[in-house]
Amino acid sequence: MENTSSALAQAYHVLFVAALIFLAIMVVLCLIRAIIGPRIADRIVATNMMGTMIMVIIAILALMLQEGYLVDICLIYAMISFLAVVCLTKVYMGVYQEKKIEEAKKNGSD
C-alpha cells in the first residue's frame, strides 16, 4: 500500500512540474506578444493572460508545496491583476476617444 501511495505522489510531482514548465513557456510567449503587439488591445489581452497564468502557477505551487498561505497570495494577485487590466483598458479607451475626437475635428474643418 505504501508503494502505491509513493508512486502516486511521484506521479503527481511529475505532473505538477510538467504543468509549471508548460505555463512558464506560455508566460514567456505572452510576454513576447505583449511587447510585439501590434495593437494595444493585443497587449492588454496578453497582459491579462499572463496574470491568469501566474495565478495558476501560484495555485499549483500551493498544491505542490502544501502551503496554504500561497492560496491567499493567489487571491490577492487575482484582485491586483484584475484592477490593473481595468485601469489599462480605461486609459486605452480614453486615448482612443481622444484620437476619434481629433479626427472628427480635422475632418470637420476640411
Side-chain angles (χ1 to χ4, degrees):
M1 184 69 171
E2 197 167 305
N3 241 357
T4 306
S5 65
S6 175
L8 188 60
Q10 183 67 24
Y12 274 125
H13 183 74
V14 169
L15 179 69
F16 288 153
V17 170
L20 289 173
I21 291 171
F22 176 74
L23 286 169
I25 292 169
M26 295 305 292
V27 167
V28 170
L29 292 176
C30 282
L31 181 63
I32 292 170
R33 172 52 65 193
I35 292 171
I36 292 175
R39 296 177 303 212
I40 299 293
D42 295 331
R43 293 182 173 135
I44 292 173
V45 170
T47 304
N48 191 18
M49 285 176 53
M50 282 191 308
T52 303
M53 285 188 275
I54 296 291
M55 285 183 283
V56 173
I57 288 172
I58 294 171
I60 290 174
L61 284 173
L63 280 173
M64 200 169 141
L65 301 174
Q66 297 176 352
E67 296 290 342
Y69 70 90
L70 287 176
V71 177
D72 297 334
I73 292 172
C74 184
L75 290 172
I76 292 169
Y77 187 85
M79 290 185 281
I80 292 172
S81 176
F82 173 75
L83 186 63
V85 170
V86 167
C87 290
L88 285 173
T89 305
K90 190 78 168 168
V91 168
Y92 169 67
M93 290 305 295
V95 170
Y96 178 76
Q97 288 175 351
E98 284 181 14
K99 285 183 182 179
K100 284 291 188 183
I101 292 171
E102 287 178 12
E103 287 178 11
K105 286 180 181 178
K106 199 181 291 184
N107 291 337
S109 64
D110 287 344

